[in-house]
Amino acid sequence: MPLVCVCSPKGGVGKTTLAANLAWSLARAGSKVLAIDFDVQNALRLHFGVPLNDGRGFVARSEEQADWSQSILTTGGNIFVLPYGDVTEPQRERFEEKLAKDPHFLLRGLDTVLNYPGLVIVADFPPGPGPALKAMSTLAEMHLVVMLADTASVSLLPHIENNRMIGQPLNNQLGHFFVLNQSDNRRNISRDVTAFMQQRLGDNLLGVIHRDESVAEANASQQSVYDFSPASAAAFDIELIGKRVANILNISVGNGEVQASIRSSHY
């Protein structure tokens, strides 16, 4: 059961969009993929066509159900979604307190999906540190840290390199890798930052995604960038990142057919 965490030290970097399109990329290659949203903004579901007014999710129900797989939604094909859901502030606080204080809370909630054969999990986290990101550090095979091709990301790089994001290494298995988003060769700063990151990070830089308006347009239409604009630069870049992730995780997809349903609810 490969599990990939997508995170960032700050917001506004396209983290959720990358998580969604990475899930699409892996699913297109034949894997069964579960996209999990740990961000209270509850936006990951929108990338898979879940209606805006659908407030179902696992966080509120986690107070009553230890098994979070009961909240999975199906999207058709090889992708499943576990939304954060609409919650009250007290519900969010209680959920995060359990993540921080109960070392088995996360494992119990994900036990069913962690033991589902052939499933790849892509988990999206809120920007910055948080109890969910810290709790996941012992379970995930790898972390992808999303940065922008700007000077703010350069200034935050030591923060990640010195394990200050959660006070310990992000990942205890295959480690963490970087993705540089919205690189624009037409802008000097963006071009210089991209070159610096490539030199500084080397093989730990898993990919560079070029700035592409088709990504935002695909988001607005609740489609993957592959469906909206398959020949776009961003689609090519994310596809390459997906292949590198699959290679690192040694994912074997077989014929890519969904052989059995995870405990799920159609929307």
Side-chain angles (χ1 to χ4, degrees), residues 144-145 174-179 200-207:
L144 292 183
V145 182
L174 298 176
H176 66 269
F177 299 84
F178 293 86
V179 172
R200 174 75 168 263
L201 298 174
D203 291 340
N204 283 331
L205 180 61
L206 213 60

Side-chain angles (χ1 to χ4, degrees), residues 48-156:
F48 302 102
V50 179
L52 185 63
N53 61 0
D54 190 332
R56 289 178 293 173
F58 73 95
V59 172
R61 296 183 68 184
S62 68
E63 297 182 323
E64 306 162 359
Q65 295 179 334
D67 182 3
W68 301 347
S69 70
Q70 300 291 334
S71 298
I72 291 175
L73 306 179
T74 58
T75 67
N78 285 341
I79 293 188
F80 305 87
V81 184
L82 186 55
Y84 191 97
D86 292 340
V87 299
T88 64
E89 184 63 10
Q91 286 174 324
R92 181 193 66 80
E93 290 176 346
R94 288 194 295 269
F95 178 73
E96 293 188 355
E97 183 178 15
K98 289 177 182 176
L99 282 171
K101 294 184 177 181
D102 183 350
H104 303 294
F105 179 63
L106 184 67
L107 189 58
R108 284 197 303 270
L110 296 178
D111 183 65
T112 297
V113 297
L114 291 175
N115 290 286
Y116 188 84
L119 184 69
V120 179
I121 300 176
V122 177
D124 182 40
F125 293 84
L133 186 62
K134 190 167 186 176
M136 191 63 85
S137 63
T138 59
L139 293 181
E141 272 72 19
M142 66 183 295
H143 281 61
L144 292 183
V145 182
V146 185
M147 313 282 272
L148 288 180
D150 61 11
T151 53
S153 292
V154 174
S155 68
L156 287 170

Side-chain angles (χ1 to χ4, degrees), residues 226-238:
Y226 308 107
D227 292 329
F228 184 84
S229 182
S232 67
F236 176 82
D237 296 335
I238 299 171

Side-chain angles (χ1 to χ4, degrees), residues 188-207:
N188 291 336
I189 289 293
S190 181
R191 188 169 59 248
D192 291 345
V193 168
T194 299
F196 172 81
M197 290 291 203
Q198 289 171 327
Q199 182 178 17
R200 174 75 168 263
L201 298 174
D203 291 340
N204 283 331
L205 180 61
L206 213 60

